[in-house]
Structure formats: C-alpha cells, structure tokens
Amino acid sequence: MVILMLRFVLRFLLPLAFLSVAALTALAQPQDTEQRITALMQQMTLEEKIGQLNILSGETQATGPVTFGGDHATEIRAGRTGSMLNVVGVNSTRQYQQLAMQSRLKIPLLFGQDVIHGYLTTFPIPLAEAASWDLPAIQRSARVAATEAASAGIHWTFAPMVDIARDPRWGRVMEGAGEDTYLGSRIAEARVHGFQGAKLGDLDAIMACAKHFAAYGAAVGGRDYNSVDMSERQLLETYLPPFKAAADAGAATFMNSFNDLNGVPATGNKHLQRDILKGSWGFSGFVVSDWGSMGEMVSHGYVKDEKAAAKASITAGSDMDMESRVYSKHLAALVNEGQVSMAQVDDAVRRVLRKKFELGLFDDPFRFADPAREKATLGKLEFRQAAREMAAKSIVLLKSDGKTLPLSPKLKTIAFIGPMVKPIKGNRGGWAVSVPGYDTDSQIVSQWQGVAERAQANGTKVLYAKGAEMMGFDRSGFAEAVRVARQADVVVVSVGESWDWSAEAKSRSDISLPGVQEELVKALHATGKPLVVLLNAGRPMVFPWIADHVSNLAYTWWLGSEAGHAMADVLWGDHNPSARLPISFPRSVGQIPVYYNHYNTGRPAVDGKQENFKSGYIDSPNAPRFAFGHGLSYTKFAYSGLKLSQTKLHAGDVLSVSLQVSNTGARAGDEVVQLYLRDKVASVVRPVKELKDFQRVHLAPGERKTLSFQVDREKLSFFNDQLQWGAEPGDFDLMVGAASDDIRLVGEFELLD
Ligand code: NOJ
C-alpha cells in the first residue's frame, strides 16, 4: 500500500509541484529538441502522457465507426487527447487548438487528415497517378496537397498508402501505387518528399504517414480487413520495400493495419513494429493504429479484452491509439500494475512530442492555422494547372486504331454518351476532402464541360445522351443514345463504376463494368461509327467484350478537379498519352491474383498453346487482358542498339546498359522505357521478370536519344534461402521494353562472384 501511494505521488503529484510558468516559458526557448522533450516530460503526469497517445475524431466527419460519446472539449482541456483527425479548416483547427491551450501543460494538438489525393484541389486517385510513372509529377501533386492542407491548419496526412495490391477486388487498390514493389517504392518516396517538402516545420509541409503496416493489400479474397497469410520472404521482398523506401525518405509517421498477418494482428505485431520498423530500420517517428484496430484485436481473438488489447498494442510498438480508446481506459492501470513499463510509454510519448516540436507547434500552436493564408492558398490557379497536367498524365491509352484518336479538329459532330458524362462528383473518387466554406463539387470540371468547351473551340458540335445509368438494368435510354450516335462523326462513350465503389470497405466480388453499360457500348458499336470508350474506375475492371471489340479505349480512372479538361486534352491530342498500367488488368475474376512478376513453375504453360499437364487454365489464357506497364501513345517508338558494358560482372562491378529509342511517328511524345531482370537460377526460385528501373524520355518526331541504366548489385539481390539479402553468382536475363509483355531488347550477363 505504501509503495502504491509512493508511486502515485511520484507519478501524479510530484510533476505538478515542479510545474511553473518559468518552466513552461523555458520550454518555448530554442533548445535542443530532445532536451526540450525531456524537460516537458518531467512535467507530465502519467495521464497527460497517455493523452498524447490518443487521437480523437472530430465532431463532423467520421471515417470509421463512431464510438466516442463524450465531450471533445472536456477531453482536450483535460489533456486526454494529443491529436485529432477529421477536423477540417482553419476555423475548426483554431477552435480545438484554443481548447488545448486551456489544458494544464498547453501541449498543442496535432491535426491529422486523410489528404489522399489533394485537399481542395483534387488530383487523380493515387492509383491513377501511379499510372503516370512520372515521379516528379507525383511529388508535385503531393506538394500541392500539402501546401493547401497546411494552409488550412492540417499538420499530418494519413498518406501515402504504400500497400502493394495484386487483387483488384480489394477496393483500396485505388489508394496505392499498384502491384509492383519497385514502382511502388519510388512512388512512396516521391509522395513522402512531396508531403513533407524541404523539411518539417516549414509552413507548407505536413507529416506523411506510410500505411498500412503491413501487408494489408494481401487480404484473402480481396475482402477488406481480411486476414493475410504469407511467407516471410514474400513479406520482405514484395510487401515491405515500399514501407522501407518511405521510412528512408523520412516519413514522419506510420500507420499499422487492420489485418492479421500470419495469425498476429498487425497492431499487436511486435515483429513488424519493434523488430523491423523501429529495430532494423531505425524509424524514429511514431506509429498510429488504424481506426479502432487496437480494440479489434478482441474480435480477432488475439486478446481477451480491451485491457489486454492496450497491453499488446503498446508492447508491440503501436504508439498512438486511433479511436479504440483502450489506452485512455487501460494504459495507466497497466503501468501501475507493472504490466507495461513506464519506459515503453515514455518512448511512445517522446516520439509524438518530437514531431510536435519539429513542426514548431510549441513555439506557435497556431502557426499553420492562418485564415489569410488559407484563403490565399486554396485552389490557386497553378494548383489547378498541376491537377490538369497530372490528370492528363494519368490516362492510359489501352487501345487505339491509329486513326480515330486524337480527334480531328475538323470533326463536325461528336456524340458524347454515357452515365459518366455529366455527373460531377463521379470524377472526385473516394477520399476526397469536404472543405468547409467551399462547394467542393463546384471545383470540378465535369467531363461534359471539358469536352464541350474544347469541341466548341474547333467549331465541333457535341451531342449528348445518357444511354443508361451506371447501375441497374434499365435499357430504355439505348434507343436515344443510338439515335444521337448516328448523327455524329465519332462517338465517345464514358462508362465506369460509381465513385463510391472503390475505397475502404468497397471490395467487389464481381469487378465487371456495372449494370448494362457494356450492352450500351455494344449497341453504339453496332452503329458502325468510330467509337472511343473512356473507362472510369478506382480499380482495374473486367470488360471482356469492350476489350475485344472496341478499337479505341482509354482508362481514365477518377481524375479529380480537372477531369473534364484533362480528358479533352487527351482526346484532341493536346496531351499525347504516356501513362502505363501500374497493375495488371485481369481477363476475368477467376484469374485473380494475376501479376507480371510471378514464378515460372515447374510446368509453365505457353499462352495460346493448349497442352495438357501445364500450369494453365483450360478456359482462359494465363496472361492478363492488359499487362503491367502497358499503355499506348499517339506516336510510335522504336528501340535499338542495346549495349551492355560487360557480360561478366565481379562483385562491386556496376553494369552499364545503353540503348537508343526513336520516335518513328509524326507527333512528339513520351516513352516510358522499362528495364526488367530475371535471375535464371538461384537458391530460391526467382520471378520470370522484375522491374528494376525505368526512364521517361521525351522525343520529337524523328528524334532519337540514347538512354543509359546502371545495374548495381542491389538490383541483383534478393532474400536467399536463409532469408539473407544478397546477390548470387549466375546468369541473368536483361529485358528492355515498353511494357512487361512488350519486351523489345534482350541481353544476358553473368555475375561471377
Ligand atoms: C481507416 C483507414 O484504414 C485509414 O487508411 C484512414 O487513414 C483512417 N481510417 C482514418 O480515416
């Protein structure tokens, strides 16, 4: 009893005695951050420390199941929450920050928000941006999002999502960079650099959050929140590198994930968070749980109650509790009972406070929340321009007959048909922020507006018919659509899935084009008019008839604020498409998961060759409908002159690869040249090809350029049969091409030692 009382005095009363105005003022002086944190933590009670480990959702928008029934103001004034999410705009963030300034230690709040693809100016969904394979453009998009969000009082975005995803049924494929580890890693870096700018503390920089750690994208059956079961090799080799890249790029925070990984929920996963992230990677930021994921460990059957969930979470290295409230309810007791060490709590608190110091919030808690800056920053013209360019760069030309597109300026009449033509919201995609004071829909250029404006500039008349709804089985609009199509020189059809059909908890078991839209396209195709189909979606869809019969196809995803303009830019060739698929498009759901970097197997099937006892389907080719890396241009490129600096490599040698790319068509354009490797024999089997580098090159008509790539030992390395990273001597194939299924040049070399 005496000991318990002594503990109580030490933890709760002694710090109060030391607190003085002088001490707080001293904290505001520029000192070494670690000393300032130490000084502050000496003032903090255990309850106040735990307060820093809580993030509470605001009163207006919820991005998960609401469980908090208390009074936000009371929580903040009492120092029981150190961060908030879903508080948007300068006015709101200022109000809540003022409440924090009424707490005993005046520790500023952090405001986090899902700024996933823009704040007010909405950029294409992340998967669409990934299709650009344009790292500077992707970085700029995150930079714009950060600049806008920071001006509105936001300190922290829950992005980038760097989950590798090979299953388009999973609704969250829209938030990531697709199926490939190399591309995903480069994009993760670009996004982190974009959000965090030159350095944290700058007024246009917000903290990035690499999520969802880890392997969330490998949910069984593509069903959101589902379990993940995978080998350690696959985890290390395929799923973790984008996280490592984000950490190395300086990501301030990580978010863990809902799924269990090989039976252990990620939130309670010590191996992931302590051994790998904070251990071998040396991550010094903090880890926030996903919404309710600490408490959900009870449902997983991993812990018996919420108290045990709190213990498992803090022990595993989850620093901040998002909306489970298990830390506020149980952590103090766990510490007092000696079940959780004070050192573990202190470490978590220190990590959170460090970021608040780095952001400069102790010097001025309101420094990001300036109404004048917010007003002057949101929706700037240059941001709109960046969004338009990014949107055009995200459109993938899947098929082209070489004559219909780009549309001729001489066309007299085009018909613009389909359920996606007029809606506005449809272009924003999931995870768009509702910014107070702005009618966010009015920020969007609809497809109709963009196309009609552009057509008018050429004196081309645009006719419209809806044809069908996105969903449902009503075919009554077909006749009108066909009538309109017959009057046009070219028919452009815009179809797709609804904006809220991909995102969190939006998994689909059938990813075909919904409703009767494919039938509508068939009816329009039957008119014999030149036909262009635009496909809008947050994931790869399955559209077999269209893929086989329509000669001009563009995948537009969801393009954001400048959707209509960007579509017009591509349709008329003001922008020559250069995007490439960041994820394979299956022929059917039955092929899923289908990805380019698979193993060969002992009985590889050759597509198109029907042989028994091979690793194939009896009713489908193995190849996807559109392969990873695929995407066309309005011009043509020829590859030649592959040269390898050497064909035998010693340890320490770097192989130089050079080749020429020429633009053999009549228009200027960008080619995305992709370099793949295959390690032919190794202690564990290696993929048939793996992307190891790529370059974007701009070429005027007739122009030829020499490109060079460097292949170092890292690019030849993998996790061997002992799970050790390294390269093994032996033969390698080197392939350079325009897509994973369009290899133009091949070479070979041998690693000697
Ligand atoms: C749950 C989602 O999984 C996560 O990505 C998001 O950041 C949080 N909710 C907060 O909205």
Side-chain angles (χ1 to χ4, degrees):
M1 187 63 194
V2 176
I3 293 177
L4 273 181
M5 276 185 63
L6 201 65
R7 264 195 194 151
F8 182 78
V9 169
L10 283 172
R11 290 212 175 103
F12 292 95
L13 302 183
L14 215 57
L16 291 177
F18 281 131
L19 181 75
S20 68
V21 174
L24 280 178
T25 317
L27 291 175
Q29 301 305 313
Q31 294 171 20
D32 172 62
T33 302
E34 296 307 314
Q35 285 171 13
R36 294 178 75 183
I37 298 171
T38 305
L40 176 58
M41 284 179 60
Q42 280 164 1
Q43 316 295 322
M44 295 170 78
T45 64
L46 177 58
E47 195 190 23
E48 284 164 338
K49 286 180 179 174
I50 293 168
Q52 291 305 306
L53 306 184
N54 270 307
I55 178 161
L56 183 62
S57 184
E59 281 147 350
T60 44
Q61 315 173 333
T63 46
V66 182
T67 51
F68 182 68
D71 174 41
H72 289 74
T74 310
E75 290 295 293
I76 297 165
R77 281 203 202 94
R80 283 199 292 268
T81 190
S83 309
M84 295 192 79
L85 73 155
N86 298 332
V87 176
V88 187
V90 160
N91 285 345
S92 302
T93 55
R94 282 192 85 88
Q95 274 166 21
Y96 282 110
Q97 198 67 288
Q98 264 146 10
L99 293 171
M101 291 306 107
Q102 293 163 27
S103 67
R104 191 179 74 90
L105 289 176
K106 304 183 178 13
I107 299 176
L109 290 169
L110 275 178
F111 294 104
Q113 181 69 26
D114 290 290
V115 181
I116 307 294
H117 53 115
Y119 183 73
L120 180 67
T121 307
T122 309
F123 282 74
I125 57 166
L127 186 62
E129 288 194 350
S132 74
W133 293 50
D134 189 330
L135 301 174
I138 292 171
Q139 183 164 335
R140 184 175 58 164
S141 153
R143 193 84 287 285
V144 169
T147 306
E148 284 194 343
S151 81
I154 302 295
H155 308 130
W156 177 21
T157 175
F158 305 129
M161 186 187 102
V162 303
D163 295 308
I164 294 297
R166 293 167 162 180
D167 192 331
R169 291 172 298 182
W170 189 51
R172 302 199 80 168
V173 290
M174 66 151 285
E175 290 173 56
E179 76 185 34
D180 185 62
T181 302
Y182 180 79
L183 180 64
S185 300
R186 300 294 76 78
I187 291 177
E189 289 158 1
R191 289 191 165 135
V192 170
H193 288 310
F195 287 130
Q196 298 194 167
K199 64 169 191 342
L200 285 187
D202 288 351
L203 285 176
D204 61 359
I206 58 177
M207 295 195 295
C209 180
K211 70 186 189 184
H212 306 82
F213 197 62
Y216 181 42
V220 172
R223 213 178 70 213
D224 208 1
Y225 316 121
N226 206 2
S227 302
V228 174
D229 199 286
M230 70 167 58
S231 71
E232 188 73 2
R233 170 168 301 101
Q234 189 161 110
L235 178 71
L236 293 173
E237 204 167 284
T238 305
Y239 286 81
L240 291 192
F243 286 100
K244 174 75 163 55
D248 289 347
T253 71
F254 266 52
M255 183 185 290
N256 57 35
S257 55
F258 292 117
N259 56 286
D260 65 89
L261 173 63
N262 302 331
V264 179
T267 308
N269 202 310
K270 198 165 158 291
H271 175 53
L272 282 175
Q273 300 184 135
R274 289 227 184 263
D275 302 345
I276 297 176
L277 178 61
K278 293 179 175 175
S280 43
W281 296 358
F283 173 69
S284 64
F286 67 84
V287 180
V288 62
S289 80
D290 204 344
W291 183 296
S293 67
M294 291 185 178
E296 287 169 17
M297 287 197 287
V298 177
S299 303
H300 275 287
Y302 185 66
V303 290
K304 74 171 189 320
D305 55 23
E306 288 193 339
K307 187 170 179 185
K311 182 177 172 187
S313 303
I314 194 87
T315 308
S318 297
D319 300 307
M320 188 183 283
D321 174 352
M322 181 190 286
E323 290 291 318
S324 287
R325 267 170 286 285
V326 297
Y327 280 0
S328 52
K329 285 186 204 152
H330 303 291
L331 205 46
L334 286 164
V335 172
N336 289 328
E337 290 160 12
Q339 293 201 55
V340 165
S341 76
M342 196 63 197
Q344 268 179 354
V345 173
D346 279 351
D347 175 61
V349 174
R350 181 170 279 276
R351 285 169 182 271
V352 173
L353 292 177
R354 188 179 292 132
K355 294 304 161 202
K356 294 188 175 184
F357 275 106
E358 285 172 15
L359 287 164
L361 295 177
F362 281 98
D363 302 315
D364 176 3
F366 299 98
R367 61 196 299 266
F368 289 88
D370 171 352
R373 192 171 52 243
E374 180 186 45
K375 192 151 182 276
T377 307
L378 297 190
K380 268 188 183 173
L381 206 61
E382 64 188 88
F383 298 165
R384 304 281 313 196
Q385 189 53 34
R388 179 170 181 164
E389 283 167 23
M390 187 77 246
K393 283 171 184 235
S394 303
I395 298 173
V396 188
L397 184 63
L398 293 176
K399 284 181 80 176
S400 168
D401 62 12
K403 44 185 202 278
T404 307
L405 287 175
L407 298 176
S408 160
K410 296 190 190 116
L411 290 175
K412 289 213 165 38
T413 310
I414 62 169
F416 196 17
I417 295 174
M420 294 297 298
V421 171
K422 294 249 170 136
I424 291 180
K425 205 180 178 68
N427 300 297
R428 288 189 89 198
W431 290 118
V433 185
S434 294
V435 178
Y438 291 84
D439 170 6
T440 31
D441 282 355
S442 72
Q443 304 289 316
I444 296 172
V445 178
S446 74
Q447 300 180 18
W448 174 254
Q449 185 188 335
V451 167
E453 268 173 17
R454 184 65 178 75
Q456 211 173 25
N458 294 327
T460 303
K461 195 165 152 197
V462 192
L463 306 174
Y464 166 74
K466 188 174 192 181
E469 297 294 339
M470 244 172 294
M471 287 162 273
F473 298 94
D474 182 3
R475 296 170 181 83
S476 61
F478 282 21
E480 166 69 358
V482 167
R483 194 185 62 75
V484 165
R486 289 216 168 95
Q487 298 169 45
D489 307 315
V490 173
V491 179
V492 181
V493 195
S494 188
V495 288
E497 63 174 7
S498 172
W499 69 271
D500 54 357
W501 274 37
S502 288
E504 185 180 348
K506 307 287 185 209
S507 295
R508 292 178 62 192
S509 64
D510 170 4
I511 55 171
S512 48
L513 191 56
V516 291
Q517 295 181 91
E518 198 155 34
E519 285 180 42
L520 172 67
V521 175
K522 273 187 204 174
L524 296 169
H525 183 263
T527 63
K529 295 283 181 180
L531 186 64
V532 179
V533 173
L534 307 175
L535 291 145
N536 304 250
R539 55 156 62 81
M541 292 186 296
V542 168
F543 42 94
W545 192 91
I546 293 178
D548 289 345
H549 295 88
V550 176
S551 308
N552 303 288
L553 270 185
Y555 216 77
T556 65
W557 319 97
W558 292 318
L559 294 173
S561 298
E562 288 286 330
H565 285 148
M567 284 184 184
D569 291 342
V570 167
L571 285 171
W572 274 274
D574 303 334
H575 177 92
N576 187 353
S578 62
R580 302 302 166 90
L581 295 179
I583 183 166
S584 307
F585 274 43
R587 287 170 195 276
S588 65
V589 170
Q591 268 190 326
I592 297 171
V594 57
Y595 48 93
Y596 83 94
N597 48 355
H598 56 83
Y599 297 145
N600 203 35
T601 80
R603 294 188 179 189
V606 178
D607 273 343
K609 211 166 159 198
Q610 206 41 267
E611 283 179 293
N612 210 0
F613 304 117
K614 295 286 186 188
S615 175
Y617 299 102
I618 55 171
D619 57 357
S620 164
N622 283 358
R625 186 60 188 83
F626 296 105
F628 173 81
H630 171 76
L632 305 175
S633 162
Y634 294 150
T635 187
K636 294 253 174 292
F637 299 97
Y639 290 57
S640 61
L642 179 71
K643 280 206 192 84
L644 274 54
S645 60
Q646 56 208 102
T647 51
K648 308 245 180 243
L649 262 70
H650 285 289
D653 286 353
V654 175
L655 175 70
S656 290
V657 178
S658 67
L659 64 134
Q660 279 84 47
V661 183
S662 333
N663 181 345
T664 57
R667 289 175 169 268
D670 281 14
E671 174 73 333
V672 178
V673 179
Q674 302 160 36
L675 183 139
Y676 296 89
L677 290 180
R678 177 177 183 183
D679 186 340
K680 287 163 84 164
V681 179
S683 62
V684 288
V685 293
R686 305 300 306 145
V688 293
K689 54 172 81 85
E690 288 177 281
L691 182 74
K692 291 292 175 179
D693 210 343
F694 63 90
Q695 278 181 47
R696 165 179 293 278
V697 56
H698 181 78
L699 293 166
E703 193 183 4
R704 187 169 78 159
K705 278 187 186 160
T706 299
L707 302 187
S708 50
F709 292 94
Q710 309 297 313
V711 179
D712 61 14
R713 202 173 176 85
E714 267 309 282
K715 293 199 188 296
L716 309 180
S717 297
F718 60 95
F719 288 93
N720 69 11
D721 53 354
Q722 304 301 309
L723 286 180
Q724 283 155 350
W725 179 253
E728 291 178 356
D731 294 332
F732 288 79
D733 285 336
L734 182 142
M735 296 154 268
V736 180
S740 64
D741 67 344
D742 186 8
I743 299 300
R744 308 284 184 89
L745 301 168
V746 293
E748 282 178 343
F749 63 91
E750 185 185 356
L751 180 65
L752 296 172
D753 42 54

